[in-house]
């Protein structure tokens, strides 16, 4: 009864407060894992929406903005920032695994009744998990982006310049060690196509043992600087790093007079 409801609400509230930052970024430094966490929250949101704290709701609203900045093309594709293994709680069969639009629509519609993408693929999650109906008139909300956007809590910088879309990872982690050794990594897309991108995580276990796993986490598999063929920080067993990574959150931009 009410006791179970209260306990469940408290668990979700604590999870939101611990895992999501004020700017909408995520403690595990992975867009794919963040999508999984949002999908988990959305399963119970219809029961909890009138009882979640204002702070939790504000954080979830910021996630919508963060997701929109990570949609780099018309099909909802996003940069391979951090681990990108098969963390997807539900998929109703018509959207691609790398399509971030369905969860963005689901979250924005649940919070404010806003729809950012009109295709059936991008609305399938919203259709199944909310009161949304194609028979009801809805106005598509425009995505508002600025050319330079900084998500300071996770040290992520987004730059739009002509046909270029760029994600820069300063990697000044305040709450946990990085999942990938990707300090100062650049993810560069041109004309909505990936040119230089993060390797992702491939798979946890392979016929080559830990070597494949460690390679995909290493500095050499990212678009960044490596000195003397060494990783930026020292690798420990499996998911652990033995040293700390720090950098200054300064973004230097040059725009030609023309």
């Amino acid at each position: 009864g009410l006791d179970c409801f209260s306990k469940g609400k408290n668990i979700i509230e604590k999870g939101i407060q611990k895992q999501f930052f004020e700017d909408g970024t995520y403690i595990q430094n992975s867009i794919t894992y963040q999508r999984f966490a949002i999908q988990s929250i959305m399963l119970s949101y219809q029961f909890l929406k009138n009882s979640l704290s204002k702070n939790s709701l504000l954080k979830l609203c910021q996630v919508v903005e963060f997701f929109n900045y990570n949609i780099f093309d018309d099909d909802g594709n996003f940069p391979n920032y951090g681990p990108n293994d098969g963390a997807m709680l539900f998929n109703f069969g018509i959207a691609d695994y790398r399509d971030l639009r369905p969860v963005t629509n689901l979250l924005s519609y649940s919070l404010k009744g806003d729809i950012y993408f009109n295709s059936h693929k991008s609305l399938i999650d919203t259709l199944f998990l909310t009161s949304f109906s194609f028979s009801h008139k809805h106005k598509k909300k425009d995505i508002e982006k600025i050319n330079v956007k900084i998500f300071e809590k996770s040290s992520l910088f987004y730059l739009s310049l002509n046909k270029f879309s760029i994600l820069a990872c300063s990697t000044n982690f305040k709450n946990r060690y990085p999942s990938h050794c990707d300090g100062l990594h650049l993810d560069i897309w041109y004309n909505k196509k990936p040119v230089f991108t993060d390797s992702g995580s491939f798979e946890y276990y392979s016929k080559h043992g830990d070597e494949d796993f460690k390679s995909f986490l290493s500095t050499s598999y990212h678009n960044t600087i490596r000195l003397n063929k060494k990783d930026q920080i020292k690798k420990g067993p499996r998911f652990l790093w033995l040293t700390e990574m720090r950098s200054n959150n300064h973004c230097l931009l040059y725009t030609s007079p023309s």
Side-chain angles (χ1 to χ4, degrees):
L2 291 176
D3 187 51
C4 291
F5 178 88
S6 180
K7 288 181 179 179
K9 173 184 173 296
N10 288 337
I11 291 172
I12 291 175
E13 286 272 14
K14 288 179 180 178
I16 294 172
Q17 294 307 314
K18 180 179 179 181
Q19 296 181 38
F20 294 88
F21 303 134
E22 288 79 5
D23 60 2
T25 54
Y26 189 58
I27 193 172
Q28 288 192 295
N29 305 302
S30 164
I31 298 171
T32 304
Y33 288 4
Q34 183 172 5
R35 175 178 62 184
F36 181 86
I38 289 296
Q39 288 178 327
S40 301
I41 293 168
M42 287 296 99
L43 282 176
S44 57
Y45 180 78
Q46 301 306 315
F47 302 99
L48 297 173
K49 58 184 177 181
N50 294 323
S51 59
L52 287 179
S53 68
K54 181 179 179 180
N55 186 257
S56 291
L57 292 174
L58 286 174
K59 284 189 173 185
L60 293 177
C61 286
Q62 290 303 115
V63 174
V64 174
E65 181 184 35
F66 178 64
F67 278 175
N68 274 327
Y69 269 94
N70 280 287
I71 295 174
F72 274 24
D73 68 11
D74 296 332
D75 295 320
N77 285 304
F78 55 93
N80 275 342
Y81 173 59
N84 68 329
D85 54 277
M88 195 168 185
L89 188 59
F90 45 79
N91 185 348
F92 297 107
I94 65 172
D96 187 80
Y97 173 76
R98 290 190 44 76
D99 191 346
L100 199 61
R101 295 174 302 169
V103 71
T104 305
N105 265 343
L106 171 61
L107 182 57
S108 62
Y109 184 81
S110 298
L111 293 171
K112 292 188 175 181
D114 292 333
I115 294 295
Y116 286 93
F117 309 97
N118 268 334
S119 71
H120 282 209
K121 285 184 178 181
S122 63
L123 286 165
I124 190 68
D125 292 5
T126 311
L127 182 65
F128 273 88
L129 296 171
T130 71
S131 60
F132 175 84
S133 172
F134 286 114
S135 62
H136 297 157
K137 290 184 178 180
H138 61 274
K139 184 179 180 180
K140 177 179 173 293
K141 187 175 177 65
D142 293 331
I143 300 174
E144 297 179 1
K145 292 184 180 181
I146 56 177
N147 289 336
V148 179
K149 177 67 176 179
I150 302 173
F151 292 91
E152 188 173 356
K153 293 295 183 181
S154 291
S155 301
L156 299 176
F157 300 79
Y158 291 81
L159 170 65
S160 295
L161 184 64
N162 298 326
K163 294 184 178 181
F164 284 96
S165 297
I166 300 171
L167 164 62
C169 309
S170 176
T171 322
N172 186 22
F173 296 111
K174 298 178 175 63
N175 292 274
R176 70 187 297 272
Y177 292 116
S179 51
H180 283 202
C181 194
D182 58 354
L184 305 181
H185 165 81
L186 291 176
D187 216 277
I188 302 175
W189 294 48
Y190 178 76
N191 202 22
K192 301 182 180 180
K193 300 292 183 183
V195 179
F196 297 102
T197 188
D198 190 313
S199 60
S201 50
F202 185 51
E203 59 185 2
Y204 286 159
Y205 298 99
S206 73
K207 60 183 179 180
H208 303 296
D210 273 359
E211 290 309 308
D212 272 351
F213 176 76
K214 289 181 179 179
S215 294
F216 277 83
L217 305 185
S218 67
T219 305
S220 61
Y221 274 55
H222 295 84
N223 307 316
T224 185
I225 300 169
R226 186 172 65 143
L227 300 178
N228 298 325
K229 297 183 178 180
K230 293 182 179 180
D231 281 337
Q232 295 169 341
I233 50 179
K234 188 175 181 180
K235 186 76 181 76
R238 296 305 291 171
F239 305 102
L240 297 179
W241 298 93
L242 303 181
T243 51
E244 189 173 357
M245 185 187 297
R246 288 185 178 180
S247 61
N248 293 323
N249 278 352
H250 295 297
C251 186
L252 302 179
L253 303 173
Y254 171 76
T255 304
S256 66
S258 60

